[in-house]
Amino acid sequence: MGSTSARIAVDAMGGDHAPAEIVAGAIRAQQELGVEVLLVGDRDQISLALKQHTNISPSQVQIIHAEEVVEMGEEPLTALKRKPKASIRVAMDLVKNNQADAVVSAGHSGAAMAAALLRLGRLPGIDRPAIGAVFPTAMLNKSVLILDVGANVDCRPKFLEQFAVMGSIYSQYVLGMSEPKVGLLNIGEEACKGNEQSLKTYQLLEQNSQITFIGNAEGRDVLTGKFDVIVCDGFVGNILLKFAEAVGEIVLQTLKEELSAGWQGKLGATLLKPSLRRFKQRVDHVEHGGGLLLGVAGVCIISHGSSQAPSIKSAIRLAKEAIDHQVLDRIKVWDQNPDPSEVSN
Amino acid sequence: MGSTSARIAVDAMGGDHAPAEIVAGAIRAQQELGVEVLLVGDRDQISLALKQHTNISPSQVQIIHAEEVVEMGEEPLTALKRKPKASIRVAMDLVKNNQADAVVSAGHSGAAMAAALLRLGRLPGIDRPAIGAVFPTAMLNKSVLILDVGANVDCRPKFLEQFAVMGSIYSQYVLGMSEPKVGLLNIGEEACKGNEQSLKTYQLLEQNSQITFIGNAEGRDVLTGKFDVIVCDGFVGNILLKFAEAVGEIVLQTLKEELSAGWQGKLGATLLKPSLRRFKQRVDHVEHGGGLLLGVAGVCIISHGSSQAPSIKSAIRLAKEAIDHQVLDRIKVWDQNPDPSEVSN
């Protein structure tokens, strides 16, 4: 898996704006990031979407035909059984058969996770995979990885402990934190705070010598930059993720409303355009792509259902980084030997 | 309980900035809101704090001496048993003995809740009280009530159903929403989404004819203004509340950093000062006071530990509004007769 030839299977049929925006993002990624993209889905629809892009010839893009799609309302396992030719399942099989190095999907996230588990399986030592999302923090150029943000609505303490280890490896090798500081999302700083799950998880994290656990992270601590990795169950994490994304948008909208009041505001707003654009970049989820499904035996990026081309491109970049930094091998090595730096380079 | 003579017992010893900021906020409330304040705590410390306020004579302020304090690290029930003269307990007794109409505390929130339950008891029909917090929304002059934000870390579906009813009453009679729209905080819109708790709660809310349940609220829906009341357990709610408060501050800090880059930004920032101030008011928690402890037989406002004078004043205003609008009587009446408008005015 070299850094210049990562092969990314993209579920072209998944997401609110599929296939047009998915195809657009994939083509941009192929042209700008030096990856090889495999568009998985209905050949006719994909071909039609490709016609919008005159700067690329059809021969430069690979299409892998898949005639079925898992719809948003479907129960994942049932849908995957009924639809063996669903695009998400075909994409996973490409990785399983070593025809691709990663999958990117903005479709039904439960179905993507189920397909990954069914077709690729879990990494050794991992009971449940988790979706990790990278949030910006108040510190410039410092982000925080939060997991799980939606794969498991109910978690046992040992699942959260595994999330902490996987998150630390990802933070260290992909996000470049030398000794990632781990926190447990909770309602108070003290070890005695929280529900039954958090009390037990606190103990496990404290005793785990493979991570740097620095204590509970309250809601107010999430974006300070004090923590590099924060673990929580997928119920809380998913609500927090969607809330955070919406807040960014609401703040910008509210600011615009306030700015349009009076000439001072209007003149000020004009002068501030470049600042506001940079600000938007710092808080915008589009820049951060999607979530990495950690713990399955393959690189899988789960993007937002609302993803448009820029998000898809960011998600493909994330997949490329996970491949380049051998994240899966390091998690595998950790299970046998708790020093993930020992992976062969 | 008339609107001009509400008597508010303020726990002067509770909070990070007690007693100085608590006393300052209480005095401001007494002078500006037409309420009667009773400062509960160590007489000497309160008197010392009062000396900072030359615009009020000592005879105008009532001090109720209480020689003990529940500290932040203490286990609530044990602490209340060991310290019968703790300020929060003495404050609750003032309400119990009809010497005050409400309690405001920025101290140990668990201890405040335990003291309220022990000394005042629950309202009929309520198994667990909940802390409700009012959030601003993207719609101007429209807020959303979220409960529980910290009283109960683990909740049964029927507790959440009771929160929905109490929240609806509060939203209707204090916040002025004519037919409050209730949502269940969850990870998806569909009825089949969520953990075991949310699936069961969805059914209960759907069947309850006393509220207007409009479905699941995802994280992204919380601040849109689509919902008037959103119910969740105190674990998720507390994390969301603290996260939301911190986000407001971080956004302002990030904006300031971006604004200080270059002369355009600096000039723009100067012109925008009034807009930014209004913006800050819309997102700032100080304006929103604290949380109302709904379901106990007395009006209790639980403020942030970090509260300073303006927050305490807002919390006292909140207490006054709950008294003026007879929120407790309406919840009591609902238990006997599901039409809370029938309370005598």
Side-chain angles (χ1 to χ4, degrees):
Chain A
M1 292 190 256
S3 71
T4 49
S5 63
R7 300 160 302 169
I8 320 284
V10 177
D11 177 3
M13 310 312 286
D16 305 342
H17 307 288
E21 289 289 325
I22 314 295
V23 168
I27 286 173
R28 246 184 258 173
Q30 176 158 312
Q31 291 177 326
E32 296 170 27
L33 306 176
V35 295
E36 193 182 317
V37 162
L38 295 89
L39 294 170
V40 185
D42 183 89
R43 186 180 299 277
D44 293 343
Q45 288 190 52
I46 295 174
S47 300
L48 199 66
L50 277 171
K51 286 203 177 132
Q52 304 298 315
H53 303 271
T54 50
N55 58 345
I56 195 160
S57 81
S59 66
Q60 289 174 281
V61 188
Q62 290 186 62
I63 301 176
I64 310 292
H65 182 61
E67 58 197 63
E68 294 171 306
V69 182
V70 177
E71 304 294 344
M72 286 310 283
E74 291 188 272
E75 199 282 313
L77 285 175
T78 321
L80 289 171
K81 252 181 226 166
R82 273 202 318 118
K83 296 177 173 175
K85 288 175 184 165
S87 55
I88 186 64
R89 192 172 154 165
V90 171
M92 291 296 170
D93 280 339
L94 289 173
V95 172
K96 186 183 167 78
N97 300 329
N98 200 25
Q99 294 168 279
D101 303 312
V103 171
V104 167
S105 174
H108 192 313
S109 60
M113 196 180 74
L117 276 170
L118 284 176
R119 308 309 295 162
L120 308 176
R122 290 165 300 175
L123 286 176
I126 304 300
D127 287 292
R128 294 284 174 88
I131 303 174
V134 176
F135 283 52
T137 75
M139 289 188 203
L140 202 59
N141 300 324
K142 194 166 186 315
S143 52
V144 56
L145 175 71
I146 303 190
L147 72 169
D148 175 25
V149 296
N152 313 280
V153 289
D154 292 299
C155 285
R156 287 197 223 157
K158 77 166 175 172
F159 301 167
L160 292 169
E161 186 189 13
Q162 292 164 8
F163 298 170
V165 173
M166 292 192 293
S168 292
I169 291 172
Y170 187 80
S171 176
Q172 186 169 353
Y173 294 101
V174 178
L175 305 175
M177 302 312 304
S178 62
E179 197 180 317
K181 295 184 190 69
V182 177
L184 171 65
L185 192 62
N186 205 339
I187 60 166
E189 281 180 22
E190 304 86 354
C192 64
K193 284 287 177 75
N195 54 19
E196 218 180 304
Q197 181 199 62
S198 28
L199 298 178
K200 284 187 194 152
T201 307
Y202 191 101
Q203 291 181 332
L204 290 181
L205 295 179
E206 210 176 20
Q207 287 157 13
N208 190 316
S209 59
Q210 295 155 44
I211 57 169
T212 306
F213 177 58
I214 62 165
N216 287 330
E218 292 189 74
R220 68 168 66 94
D221 305 319
V222 171
L223 302 184
T224 57
K226 185 182 163 193
F227 295 89
D228 302 303
V229 176
I230 293 178
V231 294
C232 57
D233 69 42
F235 189 83
V236 181
N238 184 272
I239 287 168
L240 202 64
L241 173 71
K242 289 178 180 163
F243 183 78
E245 287 169 1
V247 164
E249 282 164 36
I250 286 173
V251 161
L252 285 169
Q253 184 203 320
T254 311
L255 260 177
K256 273 183 201 155
E257 280 173 28
E258 291 298 349
L259 292 182
S260 61
W263 69 268
Q264 283 198 337
K266 275 179 196 138
L267 177 55
T270 308
L271 290 168
L272 283 182
K273 267 198 183 148
S275 301
L276 285 177
R277 203 177 309 124
R278 283 196 306 273
F279 170 72
K280 193 169 176 339
Q281 279 173 356
R282 276 175 68 174
V283 298
D284 201 344
H285 80 270
V286 171
E287 300 291 317
H288 302 281
L292 183 68
L293 184 60
L294 281 164
V296 293
V299 171
C300 305
I301 307 294
I302 299 196
S303 293
H304 306 278
S306 63
S307 289
Q308 297 190 314
S311 286
I312 295 297
K313 189 186 121 187
S314 296
I316 293 172
R317 186 196 294 120
L318 206 61
K320 180 181 181 294
E321 285 170 5
I323 295 164
D324 290 350
H325 293 90
Q326 299 166 277
V327 167
L328 301 190
D329 289 337
R330 292 181 202 280
I331 294 174
K332 270 192 258 178
V333 167
W334 155 75
D335 183 54
Q336 295 144 27
N337 170 348
D339 182 0
S341 64
E342 304 243 327
V343 75
S344 59
N345 271 299
Chain B
M1 292 192 256
S3 73
T4 52
S5 64
R7 300 160 302 168
I8 320 284
V10 177
D11 177 3
M13 312 310 286
D16 306 340
H17 306 287
E21 289 289 326
I22 314 296
V23 168
I27 286 175
R28 244 184 260 174
Q30 178 158 309
Q31 291 176 329
E32 296 171 26
L33 307 177
V35 296
E36 192 184 320
V37 162
L38 296 90
L39 294 169
V40 185
D42 183 88
R43 186 180 299 278
D44 293 343
Q45 286 188 53
I46 294 174
S47 300
L48 199 66
L50 278 170
K51 284 197 181 136
Q52 304 298 317
H53 302 272
T54 49
N55 59 344
I56 194 161
S57 83
S59 67
Q60 290 175 279
V61 188
Q62 291 186 62
I63 301 176
I64 310 293
H65 182 61
E67 57 199 64
E68 295 171 306
V69 180
V70 178
E71 305 291 347
M72 287 308 284
E74 291 189 273
E75 199 283 312
L77 285 174
T78 321
L80 290 170
K81 254 181 222 163
R82 273 203 316 120
K83 298 177 172 174
K85 289 173 182 166
S87 55
I88 185 66
R89 192 173 154 161
V90 171
M92 292 295 171
D93 279 339
L94 289 172
V95 173
K96 185 182 168 78
N97 302 330
N98 200 23
Q99 296 169 279
D101 303 311
V103 171
V104 168
S105 174
H108 191 314
S109 61
M113 194 179 76
L117 277 170
L118 284 175
R119 308 310 295 164
L120 308 176
R122 289 164 299 174
L123 288 175
I126 303 300
D127 287 290
R128 295 284 174 86
I131 303 174
V134 177
F135 284 51
T137 75
M139 288 188 204
L140 203 58
N141 300 324
K142 192 164 189 316
S143 52
V144 56
L145 175 69
I146 303 190
L147 71 170
D148 175 24
V149 295
N152 313 281
V153 290
D154 291 299
C155 284
R156 287 195 224 160
K158 76 165 175 174
F159 302 167
L160 292 169
E161 185 188 13
Q162 292 163 9
F163 299 170
V165 173
M166 294 193 291
S168 292
I169 292 173
Y170 188 81
S171 175
Q172 185 170 355
Y173 294 100
V174 179
L175 305 177
M177 301 312 305
S178 63
E179 198 181 314
K181 295 183 191 69
V182 177
L184 170 65
L185 192 61
N186 205 340
I187 59 166
E189 279 181 24
E190 303 86 353
C192 64
K193 282 287 177 79
N195 54 21
E196 217 179 308
Q197 182 199 61
S198 26
L199 298 179
K200 284 186 194 154
T201 307
Y202 191 100
Q203 291 182 331
L204 291 180
L205 295 178
E206 209 176 21
Q207 287 157 12
N208 191 315
S209 60
Q210 294 155 47
I211 57 169
T212 308
F213 177 58
I214 62 164
N216 287 329
E218 292 189 74
R220 68 168 64 97
D221 305 319
V222 171
L223 303 183
T224 55
K226 184 183 165 193
F227 295 90
D228 301 304
V229 176
I230 293 177
V231 294
C232 57
D233 69 40
F235 189 83
V236 181
N238 184 272
I239 287 168
L240 202 64
L241 174 70
K242 289 178 180 163
F243 183 79
E245 287 169 2
V247 163
E249 284 163 36
I250 287 175
V251 161
L252 285 169
Q253 185 202 319
T254 310
L255 260 178
K256 273 183 201 156
E257 281 173 27
E258 291 298 348
L259 293 182
S260 61
W263 70 268
Q264 282 197 340
K266 275 180 194 138
L267 176 56
T270 308
L271 291 167
L272 284 183
K273 265 195 185 151
S275 301
L276 284 178
R277 204 179 306 123
R278 283 195 307 274
F279 171 71
K280 192 168 175 343
Q281 279 172 0
R282 276 174 69 176
V283 297
D284 203 344
H285 80 268
V286 170
E287 301 291 318
H288 302 280
L292 182 68
L293 185 58
L294 282 163
V296 293
V299 172
C300 305
I301 307 293
I302 299 197
S303 293
H304 305 275
S306 62
S307 289
Q308 296 190 313
S311 285
I312 295 297
K313 190 187 119 188
S314 296
I316 292 171
R317 186 195 295 123
L318 205 61
K320 181 180 180 295
E321 284 170 6
I323 296 163
D324 290 352
H325 293 92
Q326 301 166 277
V327 168
L328 302 190
D329 289 337
R330 292 183 202 276
I331 294 174
K332 270 191 260 181
V333 168
W334 155 73
D335 182 51
Q336 295 144 28
N337 170 347
D339 182 3
S341 64
E342 303 243 324
V343 74
S344 61
N345 273 297

